[in-house]
Amino acid sequence: MLPHMTTELTVSRPSSREGEMLNKVPEITIWFWVIKILCTTVGESFADWINMTLGVGLTRTALLFTAVLAAVLYVQMRLRRYVPLAYWLTVVVVSITGTLYTDILTDSQGVPLKVSTTIFALLLAVVFGVWYARERTLSIHSITSTPREAFYWLAVLVTFALGTAAGDWTLELSGWGPGKAVLLPAALIAIVVVAWRFGGQPVLAFWLAYILTRPLGANIGDWFATPKSEQGLGLGTALTSVIFLVAIGATVLYLTWSKADVIPESEAPDTGVHGAGPGRERLALSLYAVAALAAGLLLHHTAQTPHTSPIAAEEGGSASNTIQLTPAQAVAHFPAADIASLKAIVDDTLTKVNTGDQSGAKARIKGLETTWDDDESTLKPMDSNAWTFLDGRIDDALSAVRASHPDPASEKQALTALSTSLGG
């Protein structure tokens, strides 16, 4: 149970800290958004690392982090004062969990990204609607009770899921590489900041920026993790996760020590958050509308231009399989020893599937992924078309073996097709 809300407690309430940070000075505003973007980046890279690199599987990873989320939320919501470590740990876990929920709809259930984006947008509208109907405010300055904090965290979870779906849909429509993809959400966030500083409605500006930081952070994570041959930095999901987790930890330790994000009680902001007047708020809304229209037209234009979807390519979808080669063509320009090594792993995995050793097959096929990724910088320049063709077949095999509910027939089909493409 929460104690009586005194002035001191209202100032130190964990979730209302965001409102206080954003209403004090530019330094605190910068600290908040920097660490927020770091958290969203980890949400993308860490989820991919556990799900794909470690081979845990999407459903089990989602269940694991749902349990972790319940635990950290329990701790966070019992705190009577703002504790940086607890608060930002909760944001990181919410980021990862929201990403996984979107990935389940897209990867496991086959829901198109435009549909999942619509679903999460409507769900967020429902959350905001119920929150406002009950509390008569959506301001982060007014989160001074357990129900309001519960609404806040639910809204944050949905914004991460929505941001993931919208960001991936953008990549699907545009075909942009990870570095270029950073520019659109960054530009939209800049527009939100300009509108807010001009006098736009602060609550609306906050939630728009909150949603947009998700695709921004995800694109930054992909940029760091994507191989250099695909215009990324080539650090991989594991190293990317470590880098950003260390950055978050260092930032949280600094804030804990310096109290740079703590507002003295005497400087507590008025919880009644208002813009600069109806006129300026209408102008800010017009700016948002123009920005949304411009972004929509840009994506429509890129969607009409022939391109390879990075989402489809990542998942071994049609973009990777539009190139069709015979087995001889697929391996003609690659060293025989490298192809033999890959084929041996594939055949071993197929043998384990045929004998019902699913855990052994999953463990063995990890070697295929590691070997293929390690050899990419050498093989791809030799024959990019053949590399893309085989990459699609390998992704098909990885997806079949690592499925939440593996289908032996699908596994055998994908592995046999890959083995054939590798020369027999």
Side-chain angles (χ1 to χ4, degrees):
M1 296 294 292
L2 291 175
H4 176 67
M5 287 295 164
T6 64
T7 301
E8 180 182 0
L9 185 59
T10 301
V11 172
S12 60
R13 180 69 185 170
S15 293
S16 65
R17 176 60 50 199
E18 289 188 359
E20 297 163 24
M21 290 170 68
L22 290 170
N23 202 48
K24 187 187 177 189
V25 293
E27 177 188 0
I28 288 181
T29 301
I30 292 171
W31 273 118
F32 171 78
W33 289 113
V34 165
I35 195 169
K36 173 66 167 56
I37 292 171
L38 291 174
C39 291
T40 59
T41 303
V42 167
E44 180 73 12
S45 59
F46 197 67
D48 286 346
W49 178 59
I50 292 180
N51 170 32
M52 301 175 66
T53 305
L54 297 184
V56 175
L58 187 55
T59 300
R60 283 196 291 269
T61 304
L63 291 174
L64 170 64
F65 274 96
T66 298
V68 174
L69 176 60
V72 296
L73 273 178
Y74 175 79
V75 173
Q76 163 64 24
M77 294 184 68
R78 285 181 62 85
L79 293 173
R80 279 13 181 208
R81 303 189 64 83
Y82 167 62
V83 179
L85 178 60
Y87 177 80
W88 290 110
L89 175 62
T90 305
V91 174
V92 169
V93 175
V94 171
S95 173
I96 296 171
T97 308
T99 299
L100 289 167
Y101 290 164
T102 297
D103 289 344
I104 284 178
L105 285 181
T106 303
D107 300 341
S108 296
Q109 304 302 318
V111 177
L113 287 167
K114 63 180 179 181
V115 175
S116 57
T117 299
T118 303
I119 290 173
F120 286 120
L122 292 174
L123 181 58
L124 184 60
V126 170
V127 172
F128 281 148
V130 175
W131 182 358
Y132 187 81
R134 176 186 169 95
E135 305 294 338
R136 310 309 300 174
T137 179
L138 300 179
S139 172
I140 35 72
H141 295 272
S142 63
I143 301 175
T144 55
S145 67
T146 297
R148 290 184 178 186
E149 188 170 7
F151 278 119
Y152 166 79
W153 287 114
L154 179 58
V156 168
L157 177 63
V158 179
T159 62
F160 277 118
L162 172 59
T164 300
D168 286 350
W169 188 24
T170 298
L171 295 179
E172 183 179 77
L173 290 173
S174 66
W176 292 334
K180 187 177 180 180
V182 169
L183 300 178
L184 180 59
L188 292 175
I189 289 173
I191 291 171
V192 172
V193 172
V194 169
W196 167 63
R197 296 294 294 175
F198 182 73
Q201 219 290 328
V203 174
L204 176 61
F206 173 83
W207 287 112
L208 287 175
Y210 213 108
I211 294 170
L212 289 168
T213 53
R214 178 62 189 91
L216 175 62
N219 291 339
I220 292 174
D222 285 340
W223 183 32
F224 273 70
T226 300
K228 293 181 180 179
S229 59
E230 299 176 22
Q231 303 177 6
L233 299 182
L235 300 183
T237 54
L239 182 56
T240 298
S241 298
V242 170
I243 289 173
F244 283 93
L245 283 172
V246 169
I248 292 170
T251 305
V252 170
L253 287 175
Y254 171 75
L255 295 177
T256 302
W257 170 76
S258 68
K259 308 295 184 183
D261 59 338
V262 174
I263 301 174
E265 182 181 352
S266 60
E267 301 178 24
D270 181 4
T271 57
V273 181
H274 306 286
R280 289 199 173 189
E281 288 186 6
R282 284 194 293 269
L283 286 175
L285 288 174
S286 299
L287 181 58
Y288 294 148
V290 170
L293 178 61
L297 290 175
L298 174 62
L299 292 175
H300 176 74
H301 171 72
T302 57
Q304 304 308 310
T305 304
H307 63 266
T308 297
S309 166
I311 300 300
E314 180 182 340
E315 296 169 1
S318 59
S320 295
N321 295 322
T322 53
I323 300 173
Q324 295 298 324
L325 301 175
T326 65
Q329 292 171 328
V331 301
H333 299 99
F334 298 140
D338 291 342
I339 295 301
S341 176
L342 293 168
K343 189 174 185 305
I345 299 174
V346 174
D347 291 343
D348 285 350
T349 305
L350 180 58
T351 298
K352 293 181 183 299
V353 169
N354 286 331
T355 58
D357 184 7
Q358 185 62 40
S359 61
K362 184 177 293 187
R364 184 61 172 137
I365 205 167
K366 182 180 179 181
L368 173 66
E369 181 181 42
T370 302
T371 303
W372 183 247
D373 288 344
D374 290 344
D375 291 346
E376 178 182 353
S377 60
T378 302
L379 299 181
K380 191 172 184 179
M382 296 178 179
D383 189 337
S384 60
N385 283 341
W387 185 92
T388 300
F389 170 74
L390 290 175
D391 188 59
R393 290 291 173 91
I394 289 173
D395 281 346
D396 288 342
L398 291 170
S399 297
V401 175
R402 292 174 172 174
S404 302
H405 302 287
D407 175 29
S410 298
E411 291 178 286
K412 294 174 185 177
Q413 180 181 3
L415 290 167
T416 301
L418 175 55
S419 179
T420 300
S421 297
L422 290 171

